[in-house]
Amino acid sequence: MQVESVMKSFGTKHVLTDVFLSCRPGEIIGLLGKNGTGKSTLLKIIFGSLSADQKFIKIGHKIIRGLLNNRNLVNYLPQNHFLPNHIKVSTIIYLFCDKRNASLIKANDLIKPMLNKKSKQLSGGEKRILEILLVLHSNVRYILIDEPFNGIDPIYKEDIKNLIKEQSINKGFIITDHDYRNILDIATRIILMHDGGTKVILKNDELKIWGYIP
Amino acid sequence: MSKYFKHKIHNSHDNLFCKEYILTLAINGNELTKPPPIGEFVYELSVNIIKVKTSSRDTMRIIISILFFYKKLVIPSLAMAIAVGFLEWLLTEQFSLKTVGYTYILASMYFHYLIYEKRNPGEYYFYYNMGLCKSILWGTSLFLSLIIGLFLVIIWVICK
């Protein structure tokens, strides 16, 4: 996946001015940056749910112009809950995943007790775990994840990190989270968003230099 | 090489459902745009399979998703349409399915806006991840509402 020349402004505020990013299956790109630097905006633009002033996104030889081009290629886990609250969990799993992945998720000990509940009956943490499992097991080439560890109990964070590593064998990941340590643990490459652009971080000390960590 | 590809696809679980694939060949992680050079080299070969055509199961999943998306609009729209019908009956002493039908079409568009655009905009991402965009969802809502609304109008015309 190649992401080039992404520009996005909200009114007079230029959020993204000079974004270049690439990701290959097998890679986990950790996207870091202070609040308001445009991490979520960038993920939404790559996914196609938000239009950009200018962008060039290519997957393989296919140029991605919007959501319709992304079908079966890119999935996105947004920051906020996205499951329809009127559908039963088992039906959501059936709709979201192929047969094999649906069976894997249904067999998960955390998910089993939820299967007959509707999504609105789940707690925030339960919903988040289900959403993460659905997106991670989806049959696509690239997965964009926005704050996956938000609202997740510490005990499950390691499981999720392991699952992301496991799934990254065949898929490319771009992950952003405010807890940078989780990202540093799993990322194969770190990219810092700064002043509307992207900086490749080779050593963790560079995060201090760019003023991201104290 | 083609035999190798064929073998891989036949071992893929998804082949049971999907009709067509685009293959990309990569050497040492770099995607190839032309055939690899001939010679005795040590390569790490990998084949990426991009699914391009949806299977019948995928199509069914999308249709069911759209119906679930629309299901949320039916009860409030119908309730509003019937309420308007009764209001008309109170005022004119005539209950008209024609009014109910037309009101249903307008009410469903209003509830689509209220429920999905205002109250639960996050739910759109569920459908986006299934390859449905906002215009498709709005279009399908309008289409299904027209079918239901006009069906009520036609019944009224026939019964009259």
PDB file of all heavy atoms in Angstrom, chain A residues 24 47 49 60-61 71 73 75-76 82 85-86 94-95 97-98 139 141, chain B residues 14 29-31 33 48 50 54 57 61-62 68 72 122-123 125 129-130:
ATOM      1  N   ARG A  24       3.367  -2.900   3.781  1.00  0.00           N
ATOM      2  CA  ARG A  24       3.313  -4.158   3.030  1.00  0.00           C
ATOM      3  C   ARG A  24       2.721  -5.237   3.923  1.00  0.00           C
ATOM      4  O   ARG A  24       2.862  -5.142   5.155  1.00  0.00           O
ATOM      5  CB  ARG A  24       4.721  -4.575   2.617  1.00  0.00           C
ATOM      6  CG  ARG A  24       5.261  -3.799   1.454  1.00  0.00           C
ATOM      7  CD  ARG A  24       6.475  -4.484   0.881  1.00  0.00           C
ATOM      8  NE  ARG A  24       7.558  -4.509   1.847  1.00  0.00           N
ATOM      9  CZ  ARG A  24       8.812  -4.161   1.555  1.00  0.00           C
ATOM     10  NH1 ARG A  24       9.125  -3.783   0.344  1.00  0.00           N
ATOM     11  NH2 ARG A  24       9.747  -4.219   2.466  1.00  0.00           N
ATOM     12  N   PHE A  47      -8.813   4.784   4.457  1.00  0.00           N
ATOM     13  CA  PHE A  47      -9.957   3.860   4.366  1.00  0.00           C
ATOM     14  C   PHE A  47     -10.962   4.331   3.310  1.00  0.00           C
ATOM     15  O   PHE A  47     -11.614   3.523   2.662  1.00  0.00           O
ATOM     16  CB  PHE A  47     -10.611   3.762   5.738  1.00  0.00           C
ATOM     17  CG  PHE A  47     -11.758   2.805   5.810  1.00  0.00           C
ATOM     18  CD1 PHE A  47     -11.611   1.482   5.405  1.00  0.00           C
ATOM     19  CD2 PHE A  47     -12.991   3.202   6.305  1.00  0.00           C
ATOM     20  CE1 PHE A  47     -12.667   0.591   5.486  1.00  0.00           C
ATOM     21  CE2 PHE A  47     -14.050   2.311   6.398  1.00  0.00           C
ATOM     22  CZ  PHE A  47     -13.892   1.016   5.979  1.00  0.00           C
ATOM     23  N   SER A  49     -13.383   6.730   4.087  1.00  0.00           N
ATOM     24  CA  SER A  49     -14.616   7.257   4.688  1.00  0.00           C
ATOM     25  C   SER A  49     -14.570   8.768   4.840  1.00  0.00           C
ATOM     26  O   SER A  49     -15.583   9.393   5.133  1.00  0.00           O
ATOM     27  CB  SER A  49     -14.867   6.601   6.051  1.00  0.00           C
ATOM     28  OG  SER A  49     -13.812   6.879   6.938  1.00  0.00           O
ATOM     29  N   GLY A  60      -1.253  -2.485  -4.452  1.00  0.00           N
ATOM     30  CA  GLY A  60      -0.800  -3.249  -5.614  1.00  0.00           C
ATOM     31  C   GLY A  60      -0.794  -2.299  -6.795  1.00  0.00           C
ATOM     32  O   GLY A  60      -0.161  -1.248  -6.741  1.00  0.00           O
ATOM     33  N   HIS A  61      -1.549  -2.634  -7.828  1.00  0.00           N
ATOM     34  CA  HIS A  61      -1.623  -1.745  -8.993  1.00  0.00           C
ATOM     35  C   HIS A  61      -2.939  -0.986  -9.028  1.00  0.00           C
ATOM     36  O   HIS A  61      -3.232  -0.288  -9.988  1.00  0.00           O
ATOM     37  CB  HIS A  61      -1.458  -2.554 -10.282  1.00  0.00           C
ATOM     38  CG  HIS A  61      -0.173  -3.307 -10.310  1.00  0.00           C
ATOM     39  ND1 HIS A  61       1.043  -2.670 -10.321  1.00  0.00           N
ATOM     40  CD2 HIS A  61       0.082  -4.629 -10.273  1.00  0.00           C
ATOM     41  CE1 HIS A  61       1.993  -3.578 -10.300  1.00  0.00           C
ATOM     42  NE2 HIS A  61       1.439  -4.778 -10.275  1.00  0.00           N
ATOM     43  N   ARG A  71     -13.026  -2.348  -1.090  1.00  0.00           N
ATOM     44  CA  ARG A  71     -13.755  -3.536  -0.684  1.00  0.00           C
ATOM     45  C   ARG A  71     -12.869  -4.776  -0.738  1.00  0.00           C
ATOM     46  O   ARG A  71     -12.202  -5.032  -1.726  1.00  0.00           O
ATOM     47  CB  ARG A  71     -14.956  -3.722  -1.608  1.00  0.00           C
ATOM     48  CG  ARG A  71     -15.897  -4.700  -1.092  1.00  0.00           C
ATOM     49  CD  ARG A  71     -17.288  -4.398  -1.593  1.00  0.00           C
ATOM     50  NE  ARG A  71     -18.115  -5.488  -1.164  1.00  0.00           N
ATOM     51  CZ  ARG A  71     -18.728  -6.292  -2.001  1.00  0.00           C
ATOM     52  NH1 ARG A  71     -18.659  -6.104  -3.275  1.00  0.00           N
ATOM     53  NH2 ARG A  71     -19.428  -7.269  -1.535  1.00  0.00           N
ATOM     54  N   LEU A  73     -10.140  -5.212   0.538  1.00  0.00           N
ATOM     55  CA  LEU A  73      -8.713  -4.888   0.589  1.00  0.00           C
ATOM     56  C   LEU A  73      -8.335  -4.241   1.917  1.00  0.00           C
ATOM     57  O   LEU A  73      -7.289  -4.534   2.479  1.00  0.00           O
ATOM     58  CB  LEU A  73      -8.342  -3.932  -0.557  1.00  0.00           C
ATOM     59  CG  LEU A  73      -8.325  -4.513  -1.959  1.00  0.00           C
ATOM     60  CD1 LEU A  73      -8.038  -3.422  -2.976  1.00  0.00           C
ATOM     61  CD2 LEU A  73      -7.262  -5.595  -2.080  1.00  0.00           C
ATOM     62  N   ASN A  75      -9.792  -2.882   5.818  1.00  0.00           N
ATOM     63  CA  ASN A  75     -10.817  -2.714   6.848  1.00  0.00           C
ATOM     64  C   ASN A  75     -10.304  -1.750   7.908  1.00  0.00           C
ATOM     65  O   ASN A  75      -9.101  -1.597   8.077  1.00  0.00           O
ATOM     66  CB  ASN A  75     -11.199  -4.054   7.485  1.00  0.00           C
ATOM     67  CG  ASN A  75     -12.401  -4.676   6.805  1.00  0.00           C
ATOM     68  OD1 ASN A  75     -12.926  -4.130   5.847  1.00  0.00           O
ATOM     69  ND2 ASN A  75     -12.831  -5.818   7.289  1.00  0.00           N
ATOM     70  N   TYR A  76     -11.219  -1.147   8.609  1.00  0.00           N
ATOM     71  CA  TYR A  76     -10.856  -0.073   9.538  1.00  0.00           C
ATOM     72  C   TYR A  76     -11.588  -0.240  10.864  1.00  0.00           C
ATOM     73  O   TYR A  76     -12.802  -0.439  10.880  1.00  0.00           O
ATOM     74  CB  TYR A  76     -11.215   1.265   8.877  1.00  0.00           C
ATOM     75  CG  TYR A  76     -11.120   2.469   9.771  1.00  0.00           C
ATOM     76  CD1 TYR A  76      -9.925   2.820  10.382  1.00  0.00           C
ATOM     77  CD2 TYR A  76     -12.224   3.292   9.978  1.00  0.00           C
ATOM     78  CE1 TYR A  76      -9.843   3.951  11.191  1.00  0.00           C
ATOM     79  CE2 TYR A  76     -12.144   4.418  10.774  1.00  0.00           C
ATOM     80  CZ  TYR A  76     -10.955   4.743  11.377  1.00  0.00           C
ATOM     81  OH  TYR A  76     -10.874   5.859  12.174  1.00  0.00           O
ATOM     82  N   PHE A  82     -18.698   0.717  16.676  1.00  0.00           N
ATOM     83  CA  PHE A  82     -19.332   0.786  15.354  1.00  0.00           C
ATOM     84  C   PHE A  82     -20.339  -0.343  15.116  1.00  0.00           C
ATOM     85  O   PHE A  82     -20.944  -0.400  14.050  1.00  0.00           O
ATOM     86  CB  PHE A  82     -18.273   0.802  14.245  1.00  0.00           C
ATOM     87  CG  PHE A  82     -17.558  -0.512  14.034  1.00  0.00           C
ATOM     88  CD1 PHE A  82     -18.038  -1.428  13.119  1.00  0.00           C
ATOM     89  CD2 PHE A  82     -16.415  -0.830  14.743  1.00  0.00           C
ATOM     90  CE1 PHE A  82     -17.387  -2.632  12.913  1.00  0.00           C
ATOM     91  CE2 PHE A  82     -15.754  -2.021  14.538  1.00  0.00           C
ATOM     92  CZ  PHE A  82     -16.242  -2.933  13.619  1.00  0.00           C
ATOM     93  N   ASN A  85     -26.432  -1.667  17.130  1.00  0.00           N
ATOM     94  CA  ASN A  85     -26.865  -2.116  18.458  1.00  0.00           C
ATOM     95  C   ASN A  85     -28.126  -2.972  18.442  1.00  0.00           C
ATOM     96  O   ASN A  85     -28.530  -3.493  19.479  1.00  0.00           O
ATOM     97  CB  ASN A  85     -27.021  -0.920  19.414  1.00  0.00           C
ATOM     98  CG  ASN A  85     -27.936   0.126  18.832  1.00  0.00           C
ATOM     99  OD1 ASN A  85     -28.792  -0.179  17.998  1.00  0.00           O
ATOM    100  ND2 ASN A  85     -27.748   1.375  19.232  1.00  0.00           N
ATOM    101  N   HIS A  86     -28.737  -3.154  17.278  1.00  0.00           N
ATOM    102  CA  HIS A  86     -29.988  -3.929  17.243  1.00  0.00           C
ATOM    103  C   HIS A  86     -29.787  -5.336  16.675  1.00  0.00           C
ATOM    104  O   HIS A  86     -30.746  -6.048  16.450  1.00  0.00           O
ATOM    105  CB  HIS A  86     -31.041  -3.182  16.420  1.00  0.00           C
ATOM    106  CG  HIS A  86     -30.670  -3.025  14.967  1.00  0.00           C
ATOM    107  ND1 HIS A  86     -29.540  -2.373  14.559  1.00  0.00           N
ATOM    108  CD2 HIS A  86     -31.291  -3.441  13.843  1.00  0.00           C
ATOM    109  CE1 HIS A  86     -29.478  -2.392  13.235  1.00  0.00           C
ATOM    110  NE2 HIS A  86     -30.529  -3.040  12.778  1.00  0.00           N
ATOM    111  N   TYR A  94     -21.511 -13.513  11.739  1.00  0.00           N
ATOM    112  CA  TYR A  94     -21.835 -14.157  10.456  1.00  0.00           C
ATOM    113  C   TYR A  94     -21.721 -13.153   9.308  1.00  0.00           C
ATOM    114  O   TYR A  94     -21.192 -13.456   8.240  1.00  0.00           O
ATOM    115  CB  TYR A  94     -23.257 -14.739  10.508  1.00  0.00           C
ATOM    116  CG  TYR A  94     -23.815 -15.055   9.144  1.00  0.00           C
ATOM    117  CD1 TYR A  94     -23.429 -16.210   8.469  1.00  0.00           C
ATOM    118  CD2 TYR A  94     -24.707 -14.179   8.515  1.00  0.00           C
ATOM    119  CE1 TYR A  94     -23.922 -16.481   7.202  1.00  0.00           C
ATOM    120  CE2 TYR A  94     -25.195 -14.441   7.252  1.00  0.00           C
ATOM    121  CZ  TYR A  94     -24.806 -15.595   6.592  1.00  0.00           C
ATOM    122  OH  TYR A  94     -25.283 -15.854   5.339  1.00  0.00           O
ATOM    123  N   LEU A  95     -22.216 -11.921   9.562  1.00  0.00           N
ATOM    124  CA  LEU A  95     -22.214 -10.920   8.496  1.00  0.00           C
ATOM    125  C   LEU A  95     -20.810 -10.400   8.200  1.00  0.00           C
ATOM    126  O   LEU A  95     -20.475 -10.109   7.062  1.00  0.00           O
ATOM    127  CB  LEU A  95     -23.114  -9.726   8.883  1.00  0.00           C
ATOM    128  CG  LEU A  95     -24.605  -9.997   8.968  1.00  0.00           C
ATOM    129  CD1 LEU A  95     -25.336  -8.785   9.482  1.00  0.00           C
ATOM    130  CD2 LEU A  95     -25.169 -10.400   7.615  1.00  0.00           C
ATOM    131  N   CYS A  97     -17.672 -11.785   8.913  1.00  0.00           N
ATOM    132  CA  CYS A  97     -16.533 -12.667   8.599  1.00  0.00           C
ATOM    133  C   CYS A  97     -16.932 -13.796   7.669  1.00  0.00           C
ATOM    134  O   CYS A  97     -18.108 -14.145   7.573  1.00  0.00           O
ATOM    135  CB  CYS A  97     -16.000 -13.297   9.879  1.00  0.00           C
ATOM    136  SG  CYS A  97     -15.427 -12.106  11.039  1.00  0.00           S
ATOM    137  N   ASP A  98     -15.916 -14.402   7.048  1.00  0.00           N
ATOM    138  CA  ASP A  98     -16.203 -15.617   6.281  1.00  0.00           C
ATOM    139  C   ASP A  98     -16.383 -16.783   7.264  1.00  0.00           C
ATOM    140  O   ASP A  98     -16.133 -16.634   8.462  1.00  0.00           O
ATOM    141  CB  ASP A  98     -15.122 -15.896   5.240  1.00  0.00           C
ATOM    142  CG  ASP A  98     -13.761 -16.149   5.852  1.00  0.00           C
ATOM    143  OD1 ASP A  98     -13.704 -16.568   7.014  1.00  0.00           O
ATOM    144  OD2 ASP A  98     -12.750 -15.925   5.172  1.00  0.00           O
ATOM    145  N   ASN A 139     -11.162 -10.772   6.202  1.00  0.00           N
ATOM    146  CA  ASN A 139     -10.395 -11.337   5.090  1.00  0.00           C
ATOM    147  C   ASN A 139      -9.935 -10.242   4.135  1.00  0.00           C
ATOM    148  O   ASN A 139     -10.413 -10.139   3.013  1.00  0.00           O
ATOM    149  CB  ASN A 139     -11.301 -12.346   4.372  1.00  0.00           C
ATOM    150  CG  ASN A 139     -10.495 -13.439   3.729  1.00  0.00           C
ATOM    151  OD1 ASN A 139      -9.281 -13.484   3.896  1.00  0.00           O
ATOM    152  ND2 ASN A 139     -11.162 -14.287   2.980  1.00  0.00           N
ATOM    153  N   ARG A 141      -6.487  -7.365   3.010  1.00  0.00           N
ATOM    154  CA  ARG A 141      -5.026  -7.289   2.915  1.00  0.00           C
ATOM    155  C   ARG A 141      -4.421  -6.303   3.913  1.00  0.00           C
ATOM    156  O   ARG A 141      -3.310  -6.473   4.364  1.00  0.00           O
ATOM    157  CB  ARG A 141      -4.670  -6.820   1.504  1.00  0.00           C
ATOM    158  CG  ARG A 141      -3.976  -7.863   0.696  1.00  0.00           C
ATOM    159  CD  ARG A 141      -3.652  -7.266  -0.640  1.00  0.00           C
ATOM    160  NE  ARG A 141      -2.327  -7.681  -1.051  1.00  0.00           N
ATOM    161  CZ  ARG A 141      -1.679  -7.169  -2.067  1.00  0.00           C
ATOM    162  NH1 ARG A 141      -2.212  -6.175  -2.747  1.00  0.00           N
ATOM    163  NH2 ARG A 141      -0.500  -7.612  -2.396  1.00  0.00           N
TER     164      ARG A 141
ATOM    165  N   ASP B  14     -11.079 -20.151   0.984  1.00  0.00           N
ATOM    166  CA  ASP B  14     -11.993 -19.204   0.358  1.00  0.00           C
ATOM    167  C   ASP B  14     -12.354 -19.589  -1.065  1.00  0.00           C
ATOM    168  O   ASP B  14     -13.309 -19.087  -1.613  1.00  0.00           O
ATOM    169  CB  ASP B  14     -11.380 -17.801   0.363  1.00  0.00           C
ATOM    170  CG  ASP B  14     -11.343 -17.261   1.765  1.00  0.00           C
ATOM    171  OD1 ASP B  14     -12.209 -17.673   2.542  1.00  0.00           O
ATOM    172  OD2 ASP B  14     -10.450 -16.469   2.072  1.00  0.00           O
ATOM    173  N   GLY B  29       9.553  -9.866  -0.517  1.00  0.00           N
ATOM    174  CA  GLY B  29       8.625  -8.835  -0.065  1.00  0.00           C
ATOM    175  C   GLY B  29       8.339  -7.754  -1.090  1.00  0.00           C
ATOM    176  O   GLY B  29       7.449  -6.951  -0.909  1.00  0.00           O
ATOM    177  N   ASN B  30       9.085  -7.717  -2.202  1.00  0.00           N
ATOM    178  CA  ASN B  30       8.847  -6.681  -3.217  1.00  0.00           C
ATOM    179  C   ASN B  30       7.937  -7.224  -4.305  1.00  0.00           C
ATOM    180  O   ASN B  30       8.236  -8.247  -4.919  1.00  0.00           O
ATOM    181  CB  ASN B  30      10.173  -6.223  -3.860  1.00  0.00           C
ATOM    182  CG  ASN B  30      11.078  -5.592  -2.840  1.00  0.00           C
ATOM    183  OD1 ASN B  30      10.637  -4.742  -2.063  1.00  0.00           O
ATOM    184  ND2 ASN B  30      12.315  -6.036  -2.791  1.00  0.00           N
ATOM    185  N   GLU B  31       6.867  -6.504  -4.529  1.00  0.00           N
ATOM    186  CA  GLU B  31       5.901  -6.974  -5.513  1.00  0.00           C
ATOM    187  C   GLU B  31       6.498  -6.893  -6.916  1.00  0.00           C
ATOM    188  O   GLU B  31       7.162  -5.918  -7.268  1.00  0.00           O
ATOM    189  CB  GLU B  31       4.668  -6.089  -5.435  1.00  0.00           C
ATOM    190  CG  GLU B  31       3.424  -6.810  -5.861  1.00  0.00           C
ATOM    191  CD  GLU B  31       2.198  -6.053  -5.429  1.00  0.00           C
ATOM    192  OE1 GLU B  31       1.762  -6.212  -4.300  1.00  0.00           O
ATOM    193  OE2 GLU B  31       1.694  -5.279  -6.242  1.00  0.00           O
ATOM    194  N   THR B  33       6.410  -6.561 -10.942  1.00  0.00           N
ATOM    195  CA  THR B  33       5.564  -6.038 -12.013  1.00  0.00           C
ATOM    196  C   THR B  33       5.875  -6.737 -13.327  1.00  0.00           C
ATOM    197  O   THR B  33       5.177  -6.594 -14.301  1.00  0.00           O
ATOM    198  CB  THR B  33       5.785  -4.526 -12.177  1.00  0.00           C
ATOM    199  OG1 THR B  33       7.180  -4.286 -12.273  1.00  0.00           O
ATOM    200  CG2 THR B  33       5.221  -3.763 -10.985  1.00  0.00           C
ATOM    201  N   ASN B  48       0.421 -13.185  -3.094  1.00  0.00           N
ATOM    202  CA  ASN B  48      -0.668 -12.460  -2.447  1.00  0.00           C
ATOM    203  C   ASN B  48      -1.928 -12.658  -3.275  1.00  0.00           C
ATOM    204  O   ASN B  48      -1.896 -12.491  -4.493  1.00  0.00           O
ATOM    205  CB  ASN B  48      -0.358 -10.963  -2.373  1.00  0.00           C
ATOM    206  CG  ASN B  48       0.910 -10.720  -1.592  1.00  0.00           C
ATOM    207  OD1 ASN B  48       1.109 -11.307  -0.544  1.00  0.00           O
ATOM    208  ND2 ASN B  48       1.769  -9.870  -2.121  1.00  0.00           N
ATOM    209  N   ILE B  50      -5.583 -11.350  -4.051  1.00  0.00           N
ATOM    210  CA  ILE B  50      -6.561 -10.283  -3.830  1.00  0.00           C
ATOM    211  C   ILE B  50      -7.890 -10.764  -4.381  1.00  0.00           C
ATOM    212  O   ILE B  50      -7.998 -11.053  -5.562  1.00  0.00           O
ATOM    213  CB  ILE B  50      -6.165  -8.991  -4.574  1.00  0.00           C
ATOM    214  CG1 ILE B  50      -4.721  -8.624  -4.259  1.00  0.00           C
ATOM    215  CG2 ILE B  50      -7.095  -7.863  -4.218  1.00  0.00           C
ATOM    216  CD1 ILE B  50      -4.256  -7.419  -5.039  1.00  0.00           C
ATOM    217  N   THR B  54     -16.963 -11.074  -5.637  1.00  0.00           N
ATOM    218  CA  THR B  54     -17.586 -11.577  -4.420  1.00  0.00           C
ATOM    219  C   THR B  54     -18.283 -12.897  -4.695  1.00  0.00           C
ATOM    220  O   THR B  54     -18.759 -13.159  -5.792  1.00  0.00           O
ATOM    221  CB  THR B  54     -18.619 -10.588  -3.889  1.00  0.00           C
ATOM    222  OG1 THR B  54     -19.453 -10.214  -4.951  1.00  0.00           O
ATOM    223  CG2 THR B  54     -17.949  -9.379  -3.303  1.00  0.00           C
ATOM    224  N   ARG B  57     -22.034 -16.177  -1.185  1.00  0.00           N
ATOM    225  CA  ARG B  57     -22.209 -15.985   0.261  1.00  0.00           C
ATOM    226  C   ARG B  57     -21.962 -14.523   0.642  1.00  0.00           C
ATOM    227  O   ARG B  57     -22.670 -13.959   1.462  1.00  0.00           O
ATOM    228  CB  ARG B  57     -21.249 -16.900   1.036  1.00  0.00           C
ATOM    229  CG  ARG B  57     -21.481 -16.862   2.546  1.00  0.00           C
ATOM    230  CD  ARG B  57     -20.585 -17.837   3.270  1.00  0.00           C
ATOM    231  NE  ARG B  57     -20.913 -17.894   4.685  1.00  0.00           N
ATOM    232  CZ  ARG B  57     -20.379 -17.105   5.602  1.00  0.00           C
ATOM    233  NH1 ARG B  57     -19.504 -16.202   5.250  1.00  0.00           N
ATOM    234  NH2 ARG B  57     -20.725 -17.209   6.877  1.00  0.00           N
ATOM    235  N   ARG B  61     -24.523 -11.952   2.361  1.00  0.00           N
ATOM    236  CA  ARG B  61     -24.177 -11.206   3.587  1.00  0.00           C
ATOM    237  C   ARG B  61     -24.455  -9.719   3.407  1.00  0.00           C
ATOM    238  O   ARG B  61     -24.975  -9.061   4.306  1.00  0.00           O
ATOM    239  CB  ARG B  61     -22.687 -11.405   3.910  1.00  0.00           C
ATOM    240  CG  ARG B  61     -22.421 -12.627   4.753  1.00  0.00           C
ATOM    241  CD  ARG B  61     -20.984 -13.062   4.733  1.00  0.00           C
ATOM    242  NE  ARG B  61     -20.029 -11.971   4.892  1.00  0.00           N
ATOM    243  CZ  ARG B  61     -18.711 -12.103   4.694  1.00  0.00           C
ATOM    244  NH1 ARG B  61     -18.220 -13.263   4.328  1.00  0.00           N
ATOM    245  NH2 ARG B  61     -17.918 -11.098   4.861  1.00  0.00           N
ATOM    246  N   ILE B  62     -24.151  -9.205   2.222  1.00  0.00           N
ATOM    247  CA  ILE B  62     -24.377  -7.775   1.971  1.00  0.00           C
ATOM    248  C   ILE B  62     -25.876  -7.475   1.941  1.00  0.00           C
ATOM    249  O   ILE B  62     -26.335  -6.496   2.532  1.00  0.00           O
ATOM    250  CB  ILE B  62     -23.666  -7.346   0.666  1.00  0.00           C
ATOM    251  CG1 ILE B  62     -22.161  -7.323   0.933  1.00  0.00           C
ATOM    252  CG2 ILE B  62     -24.144  -5.981   0.192  1.00  0.00           C
ATOM    253  CD1 ILE B  62     -21.299  -7.222  -0.287  1.00  0.00           C
ATOM    254  N   PHE B  68     -30.807  -5.445   7.541  1.00  0.00           N
ATOM    255  CA  PHE B  68     -30.663  -5.088   8.962  1.00  0.00           C
ATOM    256  C   PHE B  68     -30.541  -3.572   9.122  1.00  0.00           C
ATOM    257  O   PHE B  68     -31.065  -3.003  10.077  1.00  0.00           O
ATOM    258  CB  PHE B  68     -29.453  -5.783   9.587  1.00  0.00           C
ATOM    259  CG  PHE B  68     -29.774  -7.124  10.164  1.00  0.00           C
ATOM    260  CD1 PHE B  68     -29.242  -8.285   9.616  1.00  0.00           C
ATOM    261  CD2 PHE B  68     -30.613  -7.238  11.267  1.00  0.00           C
ATOM    262  CE1 PHE B  68     -29.543  -9.530  10.148  1.00  0.00           C
ATOM    263  CE2 PHE B  68     -30.915  -8.477  11.805  1.00  0.00           C
ATOM    264  CZ  PHE B  68     -30.381  -9.623  11.242  1.00  0.00           C
ATOM    265  N   LYS B  72     -34.083  -0.978  11.140  1.00  0.00           N
ATOM    266  CA  LYS B  72     -34.150   0.021  12.203  1.00  0.00           C
ATOM    267  C   LYS B  72     -35.097   1.170  11.867  1.00  0.00           C
ATOM    268  O   LYS B  72     -35.561   1.879  12.749  1.00  0.00           O
ATOM    269  CB  LYS B  72     -32.737   0.586  12.421  1.00  0.00           C
ATOM    270  CG  LYS B  72     -32.290   0.578  13.847  1.00  0.00           C
ATOM    271  CD  LYS B  72     -30.884   1.107  13.925  1.00  0.00           C
ATOM    272  CE  LYS B  72     -30.402   1.047  15.338  1.00  0.00           C
ATOM    273  NZ  LYS B  72     -29.001   1.445  15.467  1.00  0.00           N
ATOM    274  N   GLY B 122     -21.502   6.340  14.045  1.00  0.00           N
ATOM    275  CA  GLY B 122     -20.450   5.320  14.111  1.00  0.00           C
ATOM    276  C   GLY B 122     -20.860   4.014  13.450  1.00  0.00           C
ATOM    277  O   GLY B 122     -20.014   3.269  12.944  1.00  0.00           O
ATOM    278  N   GLU B 123     -22.181   3.735  13.450  1.00  0.00           N
ATOM    279  CA  GLU B 123     -22.650   2.460  12.880  1.00  0.00           C
ATOM    280  C   GLU B 123     -22.377   2.359  11.380  1.00  0.00           C
ATOM    281  O   GLU B 123     -22.316   1.270  10.819  1.00  0.00           O
ATOM    282  CB  GLU B 123     -24.145   2.271  13.146  1.00  0.00           C
ATOM    283  CG  GLU B 123     -24.419   1.844  14.562  1.00  0.00           C
ATOM    284  CD  GLU B 123     -25.860   1.424  14.793  1.00  0.00           C
ATOM    285  OE1 GLU B 123     -26.579   1.144  13.825  1.00  0.00           O
ATOM    286  OE2 GLU B 123     -26.248   1.390  15.977  1.00  0.00           O
ATOM    287  N   TYR B 125     -19.691   2.672  10.006  1.00  0.00           N
ATOM    288  CA  TYR B 125     -18.417   1.976   9.785  1.00  0.00           C
ATOM    289  C   TYR B 125     -18.591   0.465   9.672  1.00  0.00           C
ATOM    290  O   TYR B 125     -17.798  -0.199   9.019  1.00  0.00           O
ATOM    291  CB  TYR B 125     -17.399   2.334  10.882  1.00  0.00           C
ATOM    292  CG  TYR B 125     -16.770   3.669  10.603  1.00  0.00           C
ATOM    293  CD1 TYR B 125     -17.249   4.819  11.207  1.00  0.00           C
ATOM    294  CD2 TYR B 125     -15.734   3.795   9.687  1.00  0.00           C
ATOM    295  CE1 TYR B 125     -16.703   6.057  10.924  1.00  0.00           C
ATOM    296  CE2 TYR B 125     -15.185   5.028   9.391  1.00  0.00           C
ATOM    297  CZ  TYR B 125     -15.672   6.153  10.012  1.00  0.00           C
ATOM    298  OH  TYR B 125     -15.132   7.374   9.718  1.00  0.00           O
ATOM    299  N   ASN B 129     -17.136  -1.243   6.318  1.00  0.00           N
ATOM    300  CA  ASN B 129     -16.210  -2.375   6.330  1.00  0.00           C
ATOM    301  C   ASN B 129     -16.715  -3.533   5.478  1.00  0.00           C
ATOM    302  O   ASN B 129     -15.946  -4.434   5.138  1.00  0.00           O
ATOM    303  CB  ASN B 129     -15.965  -2.847   7.767  1.00  0.00           C
ATOM    304  CG  ASN B 129     -14.867  -2.050   8.446  1.00  0.00           C
ATOM    305  OD1 ASN B 129     -13.845  -1.736   7.840  1.00  0.00           O
ATOM    306  ND2 ASN B 129     -15.067  -1.707   9.706  1.00  0.00           N
ATOM    307  N   MET B 130     -18.001  -3.520   5.170  1.00  0.00           N
ATOM    308  CA  MET B 130     -18.538  -4.565   4.308  1.00  0.00           C
ATOM    309  C   MET B 130     -18.553  -4.116   2.853  1.00  0.00           C
ATOM    310  O   MET B 130     -19.077  -4.810   1.987  1.00  0.00           O
ATOM    311  CB  MET B 130     -19.942  -4.928   4.753  1.00  0.00           C
ATOM    312  CG  MET B 130     -19.957  -5.339   6.203  1.00  0.00           C
ATOM    313  SD  MET B 130     -21.457  -6.146   6.663  1.00  0.00           S
ATOM    314  CE  MET B 130     -21.248  -7.644   5.766  1.00  0.00           C
TER     315      MET B 130
END
